[in-house]
Amino acid sequence: MSFFSRPQPQPQEGPVAGVLAGGQPEAQVIVPRGHDDVDDRKLSSYTELKVSLHQQLLDMINLSVIDKMPPAEFRAQMGEMVRELLARENRPLNRQEQAQLVDDVLDELLGLGPLEPLLKDASVTDILVNCHSNVFVERGGQLHPTAVRFKDDRHLLRIIGRIVSAVGRRVDESQPMVDARLADGSRVNAIIPPLAVDGPLLSIRKFAKERIDMEKLIQIGSVPQSVADLLVGIVRARRNVLISGGTGSGKTTMLNAMSAYIDGRERIITIEDAAELQMQQVHVARLETRPANIEGRGEVTQRELVKNALRMRPDRIIVGEVRGGEAFDMLQAMNTGHEGSMTTVHANTGRDALARVEQMIGMTGFDLPTRSMRAQIASALHVVIQLERMSDGKRRLVSLQEITGMEGDVVSMQEIFRFRRESTDASGTIHGHYVTTGIRPKFVSEFVARGIEVPDRIFDPNHVLE
């Protein structure tokens, strides 16, 4: 094979010269970091140069050979080609600028193409690709269109394939949906035709480079100091916690922040579909589910992992999110000596969260009486935390409730704190404050027994929570 698609007076030949294609440039636009407006503003001189070099390379090489060459060898030879092209452009760049330009162009070829600038932009939290021609990002909780484009659906599918193959997964017509993660832990979901009607869809929830801890949550207004102190006490007192909220409401972030207060001497088992929990302790065993292979075999579900975790001598079990029958096994673990365990669930209210857990128990196939299921829930769970992403983009803890037992056939709950929304200003920012219901939770007695101090004044309805 030849590297060039047709004879060209271009850079030197070598093994890479076997990458010959004959195709069109795949990426039409590369946006500079931080660019998020679909308008006619001119790209910077640097970005124009990068686009020019990238498109020249794509005209010259055969993309199908890229994945067959050792990455180090390909990068070295492509680097030489970029430098020769750059010399022909006669641009006044210093050595550092040239090196950065080479790296950026190679990112296009070996990385995730047009998405690379967005992945490197620290202000972007979510990247949402709706087919090849529409890419949106989330910044500060708000969605914005971008100028990023893929050449066509085939180009987008190639990038998706590169992502999922890196973690041993696949996506094709026989398995058109996939959950995966990037090397930095960012969560990825892709769905392709025939399930996606208009073309491939890709969602990337970026993994925060800077870990968001409880202090940061207080700083950004997601939770007041008084409630944060209580959450720390709940973790240290080994209360079982269910964190509830909608998509993107900050459930995993809250779970990570709370888990930082688990005693480092305890053995923690984490169970996830796509590993993204950030445990700070030393004694952590991380488990991840596995999808079925191309023959439909080899699948390992969360429920199987929860069952196996019970044989691993855990002190606490943390399930990233319960979605099915594993909820029953999780409750069983909480009821049999693994206190202080935590998990999350998708639900709009604390009461809805318990109803969802009840439905999941029904997915186990056991014909359990309703009262028996609810008794399991009431006995296993102690605290339900409700989170919400509000219209201004901010994630807030909106309710903290304690489960107190059963009243007849109903699981009884009492709310300790809630966020009271007061107004919305002209810019869309929501204003409000946290209030306490005046109820002193029963688990405070456990605090006293364990030597955990929480001021009683935070339960006073006249106390201003800060």
Side-chain angles (χ1 to χ4, degrees), residues 157 160-161 164 169-173 175-178 190-192:
L157 282 170
I160 292 173
V164 301
R169 303 198 176 189
R170 64 186 179 87
V171 58
D172 51 39
E173 288 190 2
Q175 187 173 315
M177 296 186 296
V178 66
I191 182 166
I192 68 172

Side-chain angles (χ1 to χ4, degrees), residues 48-102:
E48 289 175 349
L49 178 58
K50 184 168 65 172
V51 170
S52 173
L53 293 177
H54 180 224
Q55 291 184 339
Q56 288 182 64
L57 286 171
L58 287 172
D59 272 333
M60 294 160 50
I61 65 177
N62 182 356
L63 295 173
S64 65
V65 180
I66 290 178
D67 296 329
K68 300 177 183 178
M69 295 187 65
E73 178 185 353
F74 182 82
R75 179 173 285 271
Q77 295 194 39
M78 290 303 299
E80 289 301 318
M81 294 177 65
V82 172
R83 290 184 183 91
E84 290 199 23
L85 286 174
L86 187 58
R88 290 190 175 92
E89 294 284 343
N90 196 25
R91 297 291 183 97
L93 298 178
N94 61 38
R95 183 173 298 178
Q96 182 178 355
E97 289 170 336
Q98 289 186 27
Q100 180 62 52
L101 185 60
V102 169

Side-chain angles (χ1 to χ4, degrees), residues 96-393:
Q96 182 178 355
E97 289 170 336
Q98 289 186 27
Q100 180 62 52
L101 185 60
V102 169
D103 287 342
D104 286 348
V105 173
L106 290 178
D107 277 342
E108 286 295 323
L109 291 168
L110 302 176
L112 300 184
L115 298 180
E116 283 291 336
L118 302 179
L119 290 168
K120 294 174 181 177
D121 187 342
S123 68
V124 173
T125 54
D126 285 82
I127 303 172
L128 308 172
V129 182
N130 299 339
C131 309
H132 70 276
S133 59
N134 290 299
V135 180
F136 294 80
V137 297
E138 180 185 284
R139 284 192 177 97
Q142 301 292 328
L143 291 177
H144 304 276
T146 75
V148 171
R149 298 290 183 273
F150 294 83
K151 178 182 180 293
D152 51 28
D153 287 346
R154 179 174 167 272
H155 180 203
L156 177 53
L157 282 170
R158 182 170 174 269
I159 296 299
I160 292 173
R162 183 178 294 173
I163 293 172
V164 301
S165 63
V167 291
R169 303 198 176 189
R170 64 186 179 87
V171 58
D172 51 39
E173 288 190 2
S174 64
Q175 187 173 315
M177 296 186 296
V178 66
D179 284 315
R181 68 179 186 277
L182 301 180
D184 67 354
S186 297
R187 183 195 308 173
V188 177
N189 176 268
I191 182 166
I192 68 172
L195 299 187
V197 177
D198 299 318
L201 304 175
L202 176 66
S203 305
I204 301 177
R205 173 72 56 80
K206 286 178 62 178
F207 193 83
K209 299 272 190 305
E210 178 184 353
R211 187 174 182 274
I212 300 179
D213 54 18
M214 194 65 73
E215 287 72 23
K216 182 67 173 178
L217 291 177
I218 296 169
Q219 180 184 338
I220 63 179
S222 292
V223 60
Q225 180 69 60
S226 300
V227 177
D229 292 340
L230 188 65
L231 294 177
V232 172
I234 287 170
V235 174
R236 290 177 173 164
R238 299 179 63 88
R239 300 296 85 192
N240 295 326
V241 178
L242 178 65
I243 300 174
S244 168
T247 300
S249 59
K251 298 185 297 296
T252 302
T253 299
M254 177 62 75
L255 185 57
N256 276 324
M258 293 179 65
S259 68
Y261 298 96
I262 297 175
D263 193 319
R265 296 169 294 181
E266 297 181 35
R267 178 168 168 80
I268 305 168
I269 309 292
T270 67
I271 299 168
E272 304 171 81
D273 270 336
E276 57 183 334
L277 293 176
Q278 300 170 277
M279 299 292 109
Q280 302 302 301
Q281 293 77 6
V282 175
H283 204 164
V284 178
R286 305 172 69 206
L287 305 179
E288 186 179 40
T289 61
R290 186 178 70 183
N293 60 21
I294 195 169
E295 298 174 347
R297 300 176 181 174
E299 180 182 17
V300 179
T301 65
Q302 281 200 147
R303 186 171 187 196
E304 292 173 286
L305 291 180
V306 172
K307 289 179 179 178
N308 189 80
L310 296 175
R311 306 184 184 103
M312 298 173 65
R313 199 262 175 217
D315 289 305
R316 304 197 196 212
I317 298 176
I318 298 179
V319 179
E321 180 184 340
V322 288
R323 296 186 178 93
E326 67 272 7
F328 177 72
D329 300 285
M330 183 71 186
L331 295 178
Q332 291 288 89
M334 291 176 172
N335 273 322
T336 54
H338 303 95
E339 294 181 330
S341 297
M342 295 183 279
T343 189
T344 72
V345 67
H346 274 81
N348 292 327
T349 68
R351 179 63 65 180
D352 288 347
L354 299 188
R356 283 216 62 209
V357 172
E358 185 178 328
Q359 291 169 354
M360 292 174 195
I361 294 175
M363 295 169 65
T364 60
F366 298 133
D367 188 16
L368 296 176
T370 299
R371 179 176 173 80
S372 177
M373 287 190 289
R374 292 177 180 173
Q376 284 279 348
I377 294 170
S379 175
L381 296 172
H382 302 120
V383 177
V384 179
I385 298 169
Q386 184 67 37
L387 305 175
E388 182 179 338
R389 181 174 63 174
M390 298 188 170
S391 57
D392 60 358

